Amino acid sequence: MDVDPWVLADALTRSGIDGIALDHMERAAYGYAQQYPVIPPGVLWPSVSGQITRLNDVLAHPQPQQVHRRVAVLLGVLTGVAGHLLLDLNRHDDACRYFDVAGSAAREAESPDLAAWVLAVHSLGPFFKGDHRAAVELLVRADREGTASSPRRRAWISALLARATAALGDTQAGLKALDDAHHHTQAISDPPTGTDFFDAARLDGMAGTTHLLLRRTEHAAPLLRSALERRAATDVKGRALLALDLAECHLHDNEPDEAARVAISALDWADKTMVDPILTRAEAIRVHVIRSTGSANTRGLDARLQEATRD
């Protein structure tokens, strides 16, 4: 089994931590964030938790201020990623504890940008659990913390806020936040890096979901299809969630058979990278199909859900 370079570099300076080891650890940590779409949370967890354990050891000893700040930022990223993985594993209480640590690390590092990212990722838990008001509260805080963040970060937070406010039924606030997201996206000039990954294809997806939640399916469906065409094939989790939103569009258009077919495709895409938000969303589509046409039209979806749950 391959050994991560950060482990080797760190072993050479085990009595403390030097710049080379930190460089390797930072590359690994941001790599974990980028690998999230294609790796099951249970597979990624050991690597993330291993780095968190090592950083905890480092923080137990005095370090130069510059090193201490780098370690605090790195710990904030890793505990934020850990919180996200725990949300995917339906361990929301544990996730909240990691997000609390991530927020503390952001304050210790004096990094409002990191704090904004942590709050935005934290909002995904209550959003997918249906507590949209709590999601909005977290995102309003993220937006406030991120006033000096990059246009990518600000666009992502605004898009998340648009989706969450739309879920509350607030059309005006949802469309206003969506306009803000488009405005920030137009200002993007630097390539994506680290946890700052948002792009126009993701904005199409968020916009489609926002319009769907506002029952504007004539706007939602084309945006969702565009997002699915433009999102990388490796982003299987994101594509699966978009497809499930598209399935709901078919339900609104009185096409339950097509909705079930698209939902099955979404589960197929997720396959071994299945996470709780995808299962929860697919089960909601199943309930809607049953309400529309009865349980006879969900047999294929039922079988695929049973298989995904068993795996």
Side-chain angles (χ1 to χ4, degrees):
M1 182 177 180
D2 292 340
V3 178
D4 284 339
W6 77 264
V7 176
L8 300 174
D10 182 50
L12 296 172
T13 56
R14 193 62 184 182
S15 59
I17 193 163
D18 72 355
I20 294 175
L22 270 176
D23 288 343
H24 282 291
M25 292 180 80
E26 286 168 346
R27 281 195 288 272
Y30 288 117
Y32 301 151
Q34 293 165 359
Q35 292 167 335
Y36 164 80
V38 296
I39 297 182
V43 173
L44 198 53
W45 176 260
S47 297
V48 173
S49 62
Q51 271 209 29
I52 290 173
T53 299
R54 173 58 179 138
L55 291 178
N56 183 57
D57 292 341
V58 172
L59 289 170
H61 300 89
Q63 302 288 340
Q65 181 60 31
Q66 184 177 6
V67 172
H68 182 82
R69 187 180 183 279
R70 285 183 69 186
V71 171
V73 169
L74 185 53
L75 184 65
V77 171
L78 287 164
T79 49
V81 171
H84 199 177
L85 296 175
L86 290 166
L87 289 178
D88 286 344
L89 294 168
N90 199 24
R91 293 170 55 186
H92 285 253
D93 290 343
D94 291 335
C96 286
R97 286 189 278 272
Y98 274 90
F99 288 130
D100 286 344
V101 174
S104 296
R107 290 189 293 274
E108 180 71 14
E110 298 180 341
S111 174
D113 178 64
L114 176 58
W117 175 75
V118 170
L119 289 163
V121 176
H122 190 175
S123 77
L124 300 176
F127 177 83
F128 283 110
K129 283 297 184 183
D131 189 355
H132 301 126
R133 193 166 302 280
V136 168
E137 290 172 357
L138 288 164
L139 289 164
V140 168
R141 290 171 57 196
D143 188 56
R144 187 166 58 245
E145 292 279 2
T147 53
S149 292
S150 72
R152 284 186 189 278
R153 181 86 78 217
R154 299 195 70 188
W156 176 55
I157 292 169
S158 292
L160 288 170
L161 183 58
R163 185 178 67 175
T165 51
L168 285 176
D170 191 336
T171 300
Q172 183 176 358
L175 295 179
K176 167 64 167 59
L178 198 55
D179 284 343
D180 290 342
H182 282 287
H183 172 75
H184 294 313
T185 301
Q186 290 169 2
I188 292 173
S189 58
D190 297 328
T193 180
T195 62
D196 202 6
F197 54 82
F198 199 69
D199 56 23
R202 286 180 167 84
L203 179 54
D204 275 354
M206 287 286 193
T209 303
T210 298
H211 285 295
L212 171 63
L213 290 164
L214 294 173
R215 300 296 185 262
R216 295 157 56 98
T217 55
E218 71 279 8
H219 299 288
L223 285 164
L224 291 167
R225 292 191 181 97
S226 172
L228 282 167
E229 289 172 359
R230 298 166 66 191
R231 288 284 282 270
T234 54
D235 189 0
V236 289
K237 297 174 188 174
R239 286 173 56 82
L241 286 168
L242 290 173
L244 290 166
D245 284 345
L246 183 59
E248 186 169 338
C249 286
H250 286 297
L251 285 172
H252 285 293
D253 293 338
N254 295 314
E255 299 171 342
D257 290 345
E258 184 65 8
R261 186 194 68 78
V262 172
I264 291 170
S265 295
L267 293 171
D268 287 342
W269 290 343
D271 195 26
K272 300 302 181 184
T273 61
M274 192 66 64
V275 293
D276 186 66
I278 294 173
L279 285 174
T280 300
R281 194 79 181 87
E283 287 165 355
I285 295 295
R286 174 185 177 276
V287 170
H288 287 308
V289 173
I290 290 174
R291 287 175 180 169
S292 298
T293 61
S295 58
N297 287 328
T298 65
R299 288 172 184 164
L301 181 54
D302 288 345
R304 190 63 187 85
L305 274 168
Q306 289 176 0
E307 180 182 349
T309 304
R310 182 173 62 250
D311 292 342

